[in-house]
């Protein structure tokens, strides 16, 4: 910061001291590091502390801001680590990412002008996101010139993985969308693949800024549910549900996803077993048999998590369909929510691209309607690859 700024916190001290545990930092320490005692002055809007800091040039107000904003900051860092498939129980890593965000906010403080009428958290949101990505970039095996190039590599990786198209088609689509040449887009995809081959398994999602993210460009087409098992779900509930599975189900889930169901640690993608390898592990089984057993294990775990109130399950069964010129023109699907009660019914007209709820599950006009709409959205995006029966899982 500029020398004109001062940072004096007389009358306040850290509310939670470091335990100096021989094993290192604890999550309690890194999640409460900015808590002060006694309680700082209270403002309804956290940005009011920033305005005070800018006007007085005293950074004690920034410390007061961190005291009240820390829980939200913890949540943002935690969500980012979850989406990246990183070890969220590593206090040292959590601390590094968190401090990167704080440094980004301090940089924003230099340029922030309250007179412009923009809330500080809105102003700093993008820069905090860049700070998280910079921390992630520095952990990657690949080499990137800057965070903008890293974003581009992540973006084309996400596009290639989600589109299901060839490399060339993905390159053309990315170039058109981002206004760059196909040569540049191809370079980004090469970087993504080189980096992807040397880093652990990541979730493929969109970040808080709706920027495309994730690097799972390996195109592994098996029924993968690592995200369902851990992403955003309370770890304690997962562990309790996992313990209710039999040994074979537990082994299938852990070996296929290369994920420790006890701590949530994700291992490198190269350690994930194929269905052929799982079949060898359980003598007498075939690859298709191992796949069916794996799917049943995932469904069993999802059902247990549904009973615990962590997940929601929508079961879909095709009741009938109508074809015109060898294409499915219309269909009727039954749906059930959370494995309980009466089935609802939805009618689809694929030629018109429309759907109609014929009957709500449980005749519930509030909760069930939301799930019916999710089912409609899923079926309408399936296009020609309509399923006879499937299970959708939502948090």
């Amino acid at each position: 910061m500029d020398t004109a700024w001062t940072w004096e916190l007389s009358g306040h001290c850290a509310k939670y001291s470091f335990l100096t545990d021989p094993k290192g930092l604890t999550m309690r320490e890194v999640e409460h590091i900015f808590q002060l005692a006694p309680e700082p002055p209270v403002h309804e809007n956290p940005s009011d502390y920033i305005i005070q800091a800018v006007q007085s040039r005293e950074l004690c107000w920034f410390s007061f801001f961190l005291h009240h904003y820390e829980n939200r900051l913890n949540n943002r860092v935690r969500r980012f680590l979850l989406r990246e498939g990183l070890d969220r129980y590593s206090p040292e890593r959590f601390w590094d990412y968190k401090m990167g965000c704080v440094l980004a906010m301090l940089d924003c403080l230099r340029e922030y002008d309250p007179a412009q009428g923009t809330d500080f958290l809105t102003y700093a949101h993008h820069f905090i996101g860049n700070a998280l990505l910079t921390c992630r970039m520095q952990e990657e095996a690949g080499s990137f010139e800057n965070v903008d190039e890293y974003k581009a590599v992540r973006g084309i990786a996400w596009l290639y993985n989600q589109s299901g198209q060839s490399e060339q088609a993905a390159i053309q689509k990315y170039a058109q969308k981002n206004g760059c040449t196909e040569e540049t887009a191809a370079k980004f995809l090469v970087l993504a693949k080189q980096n992807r081959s040397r880093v652990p398994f990541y979730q493929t999602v969109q970040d808080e800024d709706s920027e495309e993210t994730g690097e799972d460009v390996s195109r592994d087409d098996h029924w993968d549910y690592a995200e369902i098992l851990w992403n955003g779900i309370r770890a304690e509930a997962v562990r309790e549900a996992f313990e209710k599975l039999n040994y074979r189900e537990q082994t299938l889930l852990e070996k296929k996803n290369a994920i420790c169901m006890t701590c949530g640690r994700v291992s490198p993608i190269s350690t994930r077993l194929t269905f052929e390898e799982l079949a060898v592990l359980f003598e007498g089984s075939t690859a298709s048999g191992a796949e069916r057993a794996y799917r049943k294990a995932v469904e069993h775990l999802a059902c247990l998590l549904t009973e615990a109130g962590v997940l929601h399950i929508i079961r879909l069964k095709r009741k009938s369909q109508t074809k015109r010129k060898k294409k499915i023109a219309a269909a009727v699907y039954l749906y059930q929510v959370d494995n309980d009660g009466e089935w609802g019914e939805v009618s689809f007209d694929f030629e018109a691209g429309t759907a109609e709820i014929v009957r709500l599950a449980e005749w519930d006009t509030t909760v069930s309607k939301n799930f019916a709409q999710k089912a409609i959205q899923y079926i309408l995006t399936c296009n020609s690859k309509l399923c006879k029966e499937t299970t959708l899982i939502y948090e």
Side-chain angles (χ1 to χ4, degrees):
M1 298 297 296
D2 300 335
T3 55
W5 292 76
T6 59
W7 204 330
E8 178 63 39
L9 268 176
S10 57
H12 292 275
C13 63
K15 188 174 183 179
Y16 302 98
S17 60
F18 285 101
L19 301 176
T20 62
D21 192 310
K23 296 181 180 179
L25 290 172
T26 67
M27 284 302 296
R28 176 179 172 80
E29 289 172 346
V30 300
E31 288 181 344
H32 296 85
I33 189 62
F34 297 122
Q35 294 303 293
L36 299 173
E39 285 283 318
V42 177
H43 288 303
E44 290 185 7
N45 187 347
S47 288
D48 290 341
Y49 298 102
I50 300 299
I51 294 174
Q52 290 270 24
V54 172
Q55 292 174 345
S56 66
R57 311 292 279 185
E58 294 179 359
L59 289 175
C60 62
W61 291 102
F62 183 72
S63 294
F64 299 159
F65 163 79
L66 291 177
H67 171 91
H68 292 286
Y69 179 66
E70 186 167 26
N71 187 50
R72 290 170 61 184
L73 178 59
N74 288 338
N75 289 335
R76 184 163 186 187
V77 174
R78 190 177 296 112
R79 288 195 300 270
F80 182 86
L81 293 177
L82 282 169
R83 289 196 302 268
E84 293 297 303
L86 297 174
D87 183 1
R88 52 186 164 166
Y89 296 110
S90 169
E92 289 79 9
R93 172 180 274 145
F94 195 96
W95 172 248
D96 286 342
Y97 277 71
K98 185 174 177 178
M99 287 307 298
C101 295
V102 172
L103 291 174
M105 286 189 285
L106 277 171
D107 285 338
C108 288
L109 198 57
R110 291 180 176 179
E111 307 297 332
Y112 178 62
D113 182 5
Q116 297 294 324
T118 303
D119 184 88
F120 177 75
L121 289 176
T122 301
Y123 175 76
H125 184 86
H126 171 76
F127 298 97
I128 295 173
N130 276 354
L132 291 168
L133 284 172
T134 299
C135 291
R136 184 71 189 101
M137 180 182 70
Q138 292 170 347
E139 291 186 325
E140 295 278 24
S143 177
F144 305 96
E145 292 184 4
N146 50 50
V147 72
D148 289 329
E149 183 181 71
Y150 182 55
K151 282 183 178 180
V153 169
R154 291 166 66 94
I156 196 167
W158 183 90
L159 177 63
Y160 172 64
N161 185 63
Q162 292 294 101
S163 67
Q165 298 175 335
S166 65
E167 288 187 22
Q168 188 58 38
I171 288 169
Q172 291 175 349
K173 188 173 181 180
Y174 182 86
Q176 292 173 358
K177 181 179 179 181
N178 294 275
C180 65
T181 65
E182 291 187 15
E183 288 183 1
T184 300
K187 170 193 168 186
F188 291 151
L189 185 55
V190 169
L191 285 173
K193 287 199 160 195
Q194 289 174 345
N195 186 59
R196 182 62 187 85
S197 66
R198 300 192 294 270
V199 296
F201 171 69
Y202 301 113
Q203 306 300 337
T204 303
V205 294
Q206 287 188 314
D207 68 11
E208 295 176 353
D209 297 317
S210 296
E211 294 176 351
E212 295 166 343
T213 180
E215 299 82 20
D216 189 5
V217 298
S218 59
R219 291 286 179 81
D220 186 352
D221 293 327
H222 79 279
W223 208 33
D224 179 65
Y225 274 86
E227 181 179 355
I228 291 171
L229 302 179
W230 283 100
N231 189 16
I233 301 176
R234 297 189 301 273
E236 188 61 33
V238 174
R239 280 194 291 268
E240 290 178 0
F242 183 71
E243 290 172 359
K244 295 178 182 179
L245 303 177
N246 61 43
Y247 172 76
R248 183 178 186 183
E249 290 173 326
Q250 292 178 348
T251 304
L252 286 167
L253 289 171
E254 290 193 318
K255 297 296 185 182
K256 185 58 184 170
N257 292 296
I259 183 171
C260 176
M261 298 299 295
T262 302
C263 69
R265 182 185 295 276
V266 179
S267 301
I269 192 172
S270 59
T271 65
R272 296 163 67 188
L273 299 188
T274 65
F275 288 120
E276 289 78 7
E277 291 171 326
L278 287 174
V280 174
L281 188 63
F282 295 97
E283 297 180 5
S285 177
T286 62
S288 59
E291 182 176 3
R292 287 193 298 271
Y294 170 76
R295 296 191 183 202
K296 288 181 180 179
V298 170
E299 190 168 329
H300 188 188
L301 179 61
C303 289
L304 291 172
L305 290 171
T306 300
E307 293 174 4
V310 176
L311 292 179
H312 292 291
I313 290 180
I314 304 175
R315 294 189 181 278
L316 287 170
K317 292 196 300 185
R318 191 168 66 201
K319 181 180 179 181
S320 62
Q321 68 179 28
T322 303
K323 287 188 176 182
R324 294 192 185 94
K325 297 180 180 180
K326 297 183 179 180
K327 291 185 178 181
I328 300 176
V332 175
Y333 274 85
L334 301 176
Y335 80 97
Q336 184 189 53
V337 180
D338 293 344
N339 302 313
D340 185 36
E342 298 293 329
W343 290 71
E345 186 173 315
V346 182
S347 175
F348 294 88
D349 184 341
F350 297 111
E351 293 181 328
T354 60
E356 179 184 359
I357 301 174
V358 179
R359 182 177 67 254
L360 289 169
E362 294 293 309
W363 295 96
D364 186 341
T365 58
T366 55
V367 178
S368 180
K369 186 173 182 179
N370 293 330
F371 290 108
Q373 291 172 340
K374 290 181 180 295
I376 289 172
Q377 183 180 16
Y378 172 78
I379 294 296
L380 287 178
T381 56
C382 285
N383 298 323
S384 60
K385 299 179 180 179
L386 289 176
C387 56
K388 292 183 179 179
E389 186 172 343
T390 192
T391 301
L392 309 179
I393 303 177
Y394 298 94
E395 290 185 46

